[in-house]
Amino acid sequence: MSVTHSPAPHTGVARQMSTLDRYLPVWIIGAMVLGLALGRLVPGLNEALDAVKVGSVSVPIAIGLLVMMYPVLAKVRYDETRRVTADKRLMGLSLVLNWVVGPALMFALAWLLVPDLPEYRTGLIIVGLARCIAMVLIWNDLACGDTEAAAVLVAVNSVFQVLAFSFLGWFYLQILPGWLGLPTTSADFSFWAIFLSVLVFLGIPLLAGFLTRHFGERAKGREWYEHRFLPKLGPWALYGLLFTIVLLFALQGEAITSRPLDVARIALPLLLYFAVMWLGSLLASRAAGLDYAHSTTVAFTAAGNNFELAIAVAIGTFGVTSGQALAGVVGPLIEVPVLVGLVYVSLWLAPKLFKNDPTVPVR
């Protein structure tokens, strides 16, 4: 696989990001504040949002979730999956880190740090199961990772989540705790509830994203699709996320304002997870003999999480006012600034850990 470098990213990581991406934590905080204000100031808003729903999911929130998932999945180069077998070390290491180490690490952190808060603990475990398929492409590019490898891993994770997420959720929420003598998730949880949520909130936008790219490239070509169409479509992922957060916090306002320490306790295992997962993956990739560009790609794809899917599954399975949904919402607030910081760390470590490596960015 070829290596594509961004020009001198260490001179200003933030400046290479769009205004929307650069200030994502600010927009998320603003959406939270707006949601809290609406929940407190608009009489009957909670009842109105909860009244229009299909099953246990509010229709307005379902629309927000689908809108934020679709642009992300329309960006994936699905034809790049043909290159999966080109580097068996890369793919094997990435699959183990993403689907074995990552979920196990989040499971351990959740039980160690929030053992007395079962709803938040379950929400954190769901976050750990939702492997990154979105903004990892941004972090990877800023850190001068391998762009083709990132595209392959994103595509593989997109498809693999449809097949594996429900089983892993059932395993980590019911089977493994039972084996360890720990309390299992409440009877409200079922394998099929998570499967249905994944099928709807990942399967539908995944199919739509695949068809959009297929027919868009067929009609206008890849150059038009990626440089003219995607820039117009891309911001809608953030719009959908912010819309969903506003609604969630309008519904969750009382729980959040009355228990701010709970939010801080959700944030701690997330912070540790991102840092440990990224550094461990980078060092494991180096030990496996991968160069800087591929090691960085493996590290960011392993450390990032698909918080959009985590929020969707938590809402679809446990409800919009659940602690599980709140844990999912806190995810992007912690992930975005931490992974931006890790871009700088990656560029700083590159010449120290990967000496005489031609893929290391030149200062």
Side-chain angles (χ1 to χ4, degrees):
M1 294 183 182
S2 63
V3 178
T4 302
H5 296 289
S6 300
H10 57 279
T11 60
V13 170
R15 286 198 297 273
Q16 296 182 65
M17 302 171 69
S18 69
T19 301
L20 284 174
D21 292 331
R22 190 185 313 163
Y23 296 108
L24 183 55
V26 176
W27 310 140
I28 291 173
I29 292 172
M32 291 176 176
V33 172
L34 178 59
L36 291 173
L38 289 174
R40 289 296 186 94
L41 299 177
V42 180
L45 178 63
N46 289 9
E47 291 77 10
L49 290 174
D50 202 39
V52 186
K53 59 184 181 180
V54 176
S56 61
V57 181
S58 165
V59 171
I61 290 180
I63 291 172
L65 293 170
L66 292 173
V67 168
M68 74 182 179
M69 292 290 288
Y70 165 62
V72 169
L73 292 164
K75 292 180 180 179
V76 176
R77 291 183 176 180
Y78 294 94
D79 59 336
E80 296 287 354
T81 56
R82 296 174 183 176
R83 303 175 184 267
V84 168
T85 58
D87 190 334
K88 293 183 179 179
R89 276 186 308 172
L90 176 90
M91 291 308 306
L93 183 61
S94 180
L95 288 172
V96 169
L97 289 169
N98 270 285
W99 296 101
V100 179
V101 178
L105 176 62
M106 187 66 90
F107 175 86
L109 289 172
W111 273 100
L112 285 172
L113 299 175
V114 287
D116 55 325
L117 299 171
E119 288 192 359
Y120 300 151
R121 184 180 68 234
T122 297
L124 287 167
I125 292 171
I126 290 174
V127 170
L129 296 177
R131 311 315 303 163
C132 191
I133 62 171
M135 294 192 73
V136 67
L137 296 174
I138 297 173
W139 316 137
N140 178 72
D141 184 59
L142 293 175
C144 294
D146 186 289
T147 54
E148 291 182 356
V152 170
L153 297 181
V154 163
V156 169
N157 279 343
S158 299
V159 175
F160 204 80
Q161 282 188 109
V162 176
L163 303 174
F165 191 101
S166 303
F167 170 78
L168 290 174
W170 170 70
F171 176 77
Y172 278 102
L173 295 175
Q174 288 196 325
I175 301 302
L176 185 57
W179 288 351
L180 299 176
L182 302 170
T184 59
T185 300
S186 68
D188 294 335
F189 164 82
S190 74
F191 172 90
W192 294 110
I194 282 191
F195 177 79
L196 182 61
S197 295
V198 174
L199 189 64
V200 171
F201 292 114
L202 181 58
I204 290 175
L206 178 64
L207 178 62
F210 171 80
L211 293 176
T212 300
R213 178 173 278 276
H214 175 74
F215 289 109
E217 288 190 359
R218 189 174 179 180
K220 298 276 191 172
R222 176 162 289 187
E223 180 72 18
W224 173 88
Y225 184 85
E226 295 194 343
H227 296 283
R228 299 190 65 182
F229 177 72
L230 284 183
K232 295 179 180 178
L233 180 65
W236 283 93
L238 177 58
Y239 301 153
L241 173 63
L242 296 178
F243 175 75
T244 304
I245 289 175
V246 169
L247 296 185
L248 284 172
F249 274 72
L251 293 167
Q252 296 258 16
E254 184 177 350
I256 294 168
T257 54
S258 62
R259 291 178 289 179
L261 289 179
D262 286 357
V263 176
R265 291 189 62 187
I266 294 172
L268 179 58
L270 286 169
L271 179 63
L272 291 174
Y273 172 85
F274 296 133
V276 171
M277 196 68 194
W278 181 85
L279 182 59
S281 298
L282 184 72
L283 295 176
S285 300
R286 178 178 178 272
L290 298 182
D291 60 21
Y292 168 79
H294 288 90
S295 296
T296 299
T297 298
V298 169
F300 278 103
T301 51
N305 286 84
N306 183 1
F307 47 79
E308 299 96 334
L309 178 62
I311 293 170
V313 169
I315 291 172
T317 307
F318 300 100
V320 294
T321 59
S322 65
Q324 291 90 340
L326 178 59
V329 169
V330 174
L333 183 64
I334 305 302
E335 176 175 354
V336 172
V338 170
L339 291 187
V340 169
L342 289 174
V343 169
Y344 287 100
V345 174
S346 183
L347 295 168
W348 176 73
L349 283 176
K352 299 174 176 59
L353 292 180
F354 298 87
K355 295 179 180 179
N356 302 318
D357 185 333
T359 70
V360 170
V362 179
R363 291 184 177 273

